[in-house]
Amino acid sequence: MSKLKVRKNVLQRKQNLLKEKEKQGQNFISKHLKKVYPLGIQKSPSSQSLPSLSLSQNSNDSSLSGSLSRSVRKKIIAVSPHENVAPPNGKSTATVNAEQNNPDHGAGGLKRCHWITKNSDNAYVLFHDEQWGVPVYDDNGLFELLALSSMLMYHFWIDILKRKELYRDVFARFDPIVVAKMSEKEIKDIISNKTLELAENQVRCVVDNAKSILKVVKEFGSFSNYLWGYMNDEPMINIYRYPQSVPLRTPKAESISKDLIRRGFRFVGPVIVYSFMQVAGMTMDHLVDCFRFTECVLALQTRDYRDNDS
C-alpha cells in the first residue's frame, strides 16, 4: 500500500472517530437538558456543543419588564383568551385544574404550557399552576429554589418535587444560616439517607452555597437584593406564543451564572440559573395561551409579592 493511501486511511479513521464523539456529545447534552428544562428542545443542524444549542426565535415574540403600558396590556389580553374563565364552585383555578383528568385541554378545562399533559403527575401540575413564574423575594425561598434547581444536574423536576418536603426537613427549611453551620456528621447523615437520593457532591454543594449566600448577604443586605438587582426588582415578562421560542439560557442568566461562580457557588451554570430564574419568577415564561400567563401578569399589576413571601 502506498504512503498516500495509508495517510488517506488514517485521516478517514480520525474523521470517523471525531464524528462519533460529536454524536455522543450531542446525545449526552440532549439527555441531560431534558432534566433541566421542562420545555422541548430543538437543536440547530450544526449544533455540536451546549453553546450552539438553539431554539428558533419567532419574530412576534418579545420580552418586557417593569410596569406594563395600557397598549401592552391590551396586546397581552388579545393573545391570551382564557382571562375571564372563572373557576366553578368557589375553588381556586389551580385546584380545579389539578382535579381534571386532562390538565391540558378538556371539557371546561384551561390550557396549560405544553410540558404539562394529561399524564402529568399531580405534583408537576401544581408546580406549574402555583409556583412556576411566581416571583419569590424571600431569602430562604430563593435558597431553596436554587438548591432544588442545582439538583437538576442529576434528577428530573418531578422527582425533586416529590422529595421537596424531605429536603426541607434535612436542610432546616433551607435557612442558609443553619445550613452553613452544618457539621461533618450532619452532612454525612444526609449523604447516607438513601430516600433523598443525593450524592455527596450534591449535599456539599447545598452547604457550600449556603456559606456563599451569607457572604452575599454581608455585601448586599440580602440574597434577594443581590439577585433581584439584576432585574431592577421587576420580573421579566416574556410574550411567547410557541414552545420553541422559549430559550434555554439568556445573556442575563449567563451574567448571573458567571458572578455566582466567581463568588464560590457551585452547580450554577447558565442553563441551571435560567431554570432557577423561571421557577423563582425572575422571568415569566408561561406561553401566552396558557391560563397562568394572564393570571401572573395581572398579579404583577395588582399585588406586591414582597409582602406575600412566607
Side-chain angles (χ1 to χ4, degrees), residues 251-262:
K252 183 79 71 178
E254 290 172 357
S255 178
I256 295 174
S257 170
K258 184 177 180 180
D259 195 60
L260 285 171
I261 293 171
R262 181 180 70 82

Side-chain angles (χ1 to χ4, degrees), residues 115 121-128 131 145 148 156-167 279:
W115 46 275
D121 188 279
N122 186 58
Y124 207 36
V125 177
L126 292 178
F127 171 68
H128 170 276
Q131 186 167 15
L145 295 178
L148 298 183
F156 292 94
W157 260 125
I158 183 57
D159 299 318
I160 294 170
L161 294 171
K162 287 180 177 180
R163 291 190 288 266
K164 183 170 67 174
E165 289 303 320
L166 295 175
Y167 297 145
V279 71

Side-chain angles (χ1 to χ4, degrees), residues 170-277:
V170 298
F171 289 115
R173 313 300 292 182
F174 289 98
D175 183 335
I177 297 175
V178 177
V179 175
K181 295 179 180 178
M182 280 186 167
S183 66
E184 186 65 21
K185 181 182 182 304
E186 290 174 310
I187 293 173
K188 287 184 176 179
D189 285 344
I190 296 173
I191 295 169
S192 63
N193 188 336
K194 301 302 181 183
T195 60
L196 301 175
E197 295 189 22
L198 293 178
E200 180 175 352
N201 61 341
Q202 291 178 280
V203 177
R204 295 192 183 279
C205 167
V206 175
V207 176
D208 290 345
N209 286 352
K211 294 175 181 177
S212 296
I213 286 175
L214 297 187
K215 293 177 184 177
V216 168
V217 171
K218 284 184 179 179
E219 183 177 348
F220 293 88
S222 72
F223 190 42
S224 178
N225 288 343
Y226 165 72
L227 287 172
W228 283 97
Y230 281 95
M231 313 300 294
N232 294 321
D233 291 324
E234 292 286 347
M236 177 70 71
I237 301 172
N238 295 311
I239 304 175
Y240 295 128
R241 290 175 175 81
Y242 310 108
Q244 65 267 28
S245 297
V246 184
L248 287 169
R249 56 197 285 175
T250 63
K252 183 79 71 178
E254 290 172 357
S255 178
I256 295 174
S257 170
K258 184 177 180 180
D259 195 60
L260 285 171
I261 293 171
R262 181 180 70 82
R263 294 176 180 277
F265 286 81
R266 298 170 57 195
F267 288 6
V268 286
V271 176
I272 291 290
V273 167
Y274 194 67
S275 186
F276 162 72
M277 291 172 67

